[in-house]
């Protein structure tokens, strides 16, 4: 598997396939399931983001992540990131590879830490993965996420010093 910088022209449709499938569940990302394809550019390929794709041996995009400053200006030394894995590829370690790559990239880019602003508490596989990389829950936001099946659930703020 190769993780490479995304090219919006070449990779847009492949990332959209993952993005639209993942957000359709309404259980892990704050994007509404009805998000139109034209919004992907500002949500996953914005100018302030570095976007990457994981590509399998056949050339299929199986995962993607973006990394950006968590805040502008005086908060720009802390990174923020979002990760998605194709639903058919879950459980194969792709999320782990994406996270590892993003931490290395963040360090190389000079970020001093990484913060995830809204990790849905019921997304236990993501919480477990982030903890395995040394992220800590530094805050809980009560009922911060409208889970499509469970209703209002808590969300975590997770952080890792780099």
């Amino acid at each position: 598997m190769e993780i490479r910088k995304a090219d919006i022209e070449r990779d847009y449709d492949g990332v959209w396939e993952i993005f639209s499938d993942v957000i359709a569940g309404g259980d892990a990302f704050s994007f509404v399931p009805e998000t139109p394809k034209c919004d992907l550019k500002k949500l996953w390929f914005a100018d302030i983001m570095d976007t990457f794709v994981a590509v399998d041996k056949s050339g299929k995009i199986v995962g993607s992540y973006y990394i950006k400053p968590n805040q502008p200006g005086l908060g720009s030394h802390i990174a923020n990131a979002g990760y998605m894995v194709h639903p058919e590829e879950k459980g194969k370690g792709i999320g782990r590879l994406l996270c590892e790559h993003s931490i290395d990239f963040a360090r190389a880019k000079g970020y001093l830490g990484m913060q995830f602003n809204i990790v849905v508490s019921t997304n236990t596989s993501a919480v477990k993965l982030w903890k395995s990389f040394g992220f800590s829950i530094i805050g809980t936001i009560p009922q911060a996420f409208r889970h499509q099946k469970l209703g209002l659930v808590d969300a975590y703020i997770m952080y890792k010093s780099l």
Side-chain angles (χ1 to χ4, degrees), residues 10 35 162:
R10 175 172 60 165
T35 298
L162 299 177

Side-chain angles (χ1 to χ4, degrees), residues 8-29:
I8 193 166
E9 300 299 322
R10 175 172 60 165
D11 300 326
Y12 197 88
D13 289 337
V15 172
W16 172 251
E17 180 182 339
I18 295 168
F19 184 92
S20 61
D21 283 350
V22 170
I23 69 169
D27 59 356
F29 285 87

Side-chain angles (χ1 to χ4, degrees), residues 31-131:
F31 308 120
V32 295
E34 302 81 22
T35 298
K37 187 176 182 179
C38 62
D39 283 0
L40 183 64
K41 183 175 185 203
K42 68 181 176 187
L43 299 174
W44 211 260
F45 288 94
D47 291 340
I48 64 166
M49 297 173 171
D50 288 292
T51 304
F52 293 85
V53 291
V55 182
D56 70 10
K57 291 178 182 179
S58 73
K60 177 184 175 186
I61 296 174
V62 294
S64 181
Y65 80 87
Y66 68 80
I67 192 165
K68 66 178 185 171
N70 191 50
Q71 297 294 324
L74 301 179
S76 64
H77 59 288
I78 304 297
N80 175 261
Y83 310 80
M84 290 188 178
V85 173
H86 196 292
E88 294 173 3
E89 305 295 330
K90 289 200 179 242
K92 297 181 179 178
I94 296 166
R96 177 166 290 284
L97 292 172
L98 291 173
C99 186
E100 183 175 45
H101 188 275
S102 71
I103 290 170
D104 290 343
F105 179 82
R107 283 186 177 124
K109 193 147 181 179
Y111 287 110
L112 301 180
M114 288 183 77
Q115 179 172 315
F116 304 145
N117 298 323
I118 185 166
V119 179
V120 179
S121 63
T122 56
N123 189 354
T124 55
S125 60
V127 173
K128 181 179 177 183
L129 179 60
W130 306 150
K131 284 183 173 182

